[in-house]
């Protein structure tokens, strides 16, 4: 047991945090050594197993991330942009692999995360699932094959508690389409249509977001031409796929040198 990488989960009380904890506990390749929550969270100071409604696990939830990270070989982090930036610096200080599934990161956040990656392994992805990363690869290939007469629209759907739009996965797909076309996504991105918008601009890559119910995650990439359409689709029905992918990334990073990686590196795509 002691030879297996120790994993810390941040945002332990959240739905994704609890899924990550269960995934690590079920693994025969890693061990849970810490759980982190923000100060004031009712889980702080409690055994995480009991906080989750089960038996004690011997891991007490803490609001001191540096203390937790010092005992770990990897940190898995699906929290908020501000928290993730702070965790990146602390994980680098502890020389722990930092797996980031947080979405909504802005350029200023990414700059700080990339600075931390000079000192430690960081694996960051808008989506940790194998299927989505295959979809990203397919999207780039199809976009390479079709010219700007084919409109591209990324359509995503998530549960009604998701706070950012477009999703990180949608942006990954849009970026893949832009790379396939050889263009800058920021220059051709079309999002948030409402009212009299005028005709669509040739070559734009559009984004549409749906929020409702308990949808785990659905992503379509629509290539619409004259008289025909191509639709690439991925549907997630269980968020455990993201937890399994994140744990795979944490294990993959154990023998890698400092740097910024993504799931394409992890999956060898």
């Amino acid at each position: 047991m002691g030879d297996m990488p120790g994993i810390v989960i941040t945002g332990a009380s959240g739905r994704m945090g609890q899924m990550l904890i269960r995934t690590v506990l079920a693994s025969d390749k890693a061990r849970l050594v810490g759980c982190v929550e923000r100060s004031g969270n009712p889980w702080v100071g409690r055994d995480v197993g009991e906080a989750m409604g089960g038996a004690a696990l011997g891991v007490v939830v803490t609001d001191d991330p540096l203390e937790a990270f010092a005992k770990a070989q990897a940190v898995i982090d699906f929290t908020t942009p501000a928290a993730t930036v702070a965790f990146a610096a602390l994980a680098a200080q502890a020389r722990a692999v930092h797996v980031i599934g947080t979405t909504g990161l802005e350029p200023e956040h990414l700059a700080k995360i990339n600075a931390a990656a000079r000192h430690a392994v960081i694996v960051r992805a808008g989506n940790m699932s194998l299927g989505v990363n295959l979809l990203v690869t397919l999207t780039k290939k199809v976009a390479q094959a079709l010219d700007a007469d084919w409109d591209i629209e990324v359509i995503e759907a998530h549960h009604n508690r998701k706070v950012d739009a477009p999703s990180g996965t949608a942006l990954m797909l849009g970026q893949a389409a832009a790379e396939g076309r050889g263009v800058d996504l920021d220059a051709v991105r079309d999002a948030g249509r409402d009212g009299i918008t005028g005709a669509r601009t040739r070559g734009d890559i559009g984004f549409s977001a749906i929020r409702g119910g308990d949808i785990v995650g659905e992503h379509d990439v629509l290539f619409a031409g004259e008289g025909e359409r191509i639709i690439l689709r991925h549907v997630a029905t269980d968020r455990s796929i993201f937890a399994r992918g994140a744990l795979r990334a944490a294990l993959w990073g154990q023998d890698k040198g400092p740097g910024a990686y993504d799931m394409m590196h992890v999956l060898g795509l």
Side-chain angles (χ1 to χ4, degrees):
M1 283 288 289
D3 294 333
M4 295 192 298
I7 310 292
V8 168
I9 305 299
T10 63
S13 70
R15 288 184 306 158
M16 195 64 212
Q18 293 185 54
M19 179 63 71
L20 288 162
I21 291 166
R22 293 189 184 98
T23 299
V24 173
L25 292 173
S27 172
D28 60 0
K29 297 181 175 65
R31 56 198 173 93
L32 184 70
V33 298
C35 291
V36 174
E37 259 300 348
R38 65 189 183 281
S39 296
N41 185 285
W43 281 32
V44 173
R46 298 181 62 193
D47 184 280
V48 70
E50 294 176 345
M52 291 173 62
L57 298 172
V59 176
V60 176
V61 180
T62 180
D63 57 5
D64 184 347
L66 184 56
E67 178 188 24
F69 295 179
K71 300 179 292 185
Q73 283 70 56
V75 175
I76 303 180
D77 174 20
F78 285 66
T79 55
T80 65
T84 291
V85 167
F87 292 149
L90 296 174
Q93 185 177 334
R95 298 296 187 266
V97 174
H98 188 191
V99 177
I100 299 174
T102 302
T103 59
L105 296 164
E106 299 291 342
E108 60 267 26
H109 301 128
L110 296 175
K112 293 177 181 177
I113 290 169
N114 289 333
R118 294 198 291 266
H119 307 286
V121 175
I122 294 181
V123 182
R124 184 184 66 83
N127 193 298
M128 299 284 177
S129 86
L130 171 61
V132 161
N133 283 279
L134 287 171
L135 180 60
V136 169
T137 301
L138 291 171
T139 296
K140 183 175 180 179
K141 288 185 177 297
V142 174
Q144 283 175 332
L146 302 175
D147 63 23
D149 287 336
W150 289 74
D151 297 321
I152 302 176
E153 189 80 10
V154 181
I155 305 153
E156 55 102 342
H158 284 87
H159 54 83
N160 57 20
R161 294 166 300 284
K162 186 169 178 62
V163 298
D164 59 311
S167 68
T169 303
L171 292 172
M172 285 173 58
L173 294 166
Q175 183 62 43
E179 289 175 3
R181 284 252 170 106
V183 298
D184 179 7
L185 179 59
D186 289 337
V188 298
R189 178 175 167 178
D190 180 13
R193 305 184 195 95
D194 187 31
I196 307 300
T197 61
R200 184 184 182 118
T201 300
R202 184 178 185 271
D204 274 2
I205 296 174
F207 291 84
S208 301
I210 298 166
R211 297 290 177 266
D214 61 354
I215 301 170
V216 173
E218 299 178 4
H219 294 85
D220 291 356
V221 184
L222 168 67
F223 296 86
E226 291 294 326
E228 57 184 332
R229 287 170 296 191
I230 299 169
I231 302 172
L232 305 178
R233 185 170 215 217
H234 179 269
V235 176
T237 58
D238 185 343
R239 60 180 38 84
S240 67
I241 63 173
F242 311 129
R244 291 195 299 271
L247 178 57
R248 181 171 177 172
L251 297 173
W252 175 89
Q254 292 303 306
D255 61 353
K256 304 302 182 293
Y261 302 92
D262 60 25
M263 285 301 288
M264 296 297 184
H265 295 107
V266 175
L267 299 171
L269 296 175

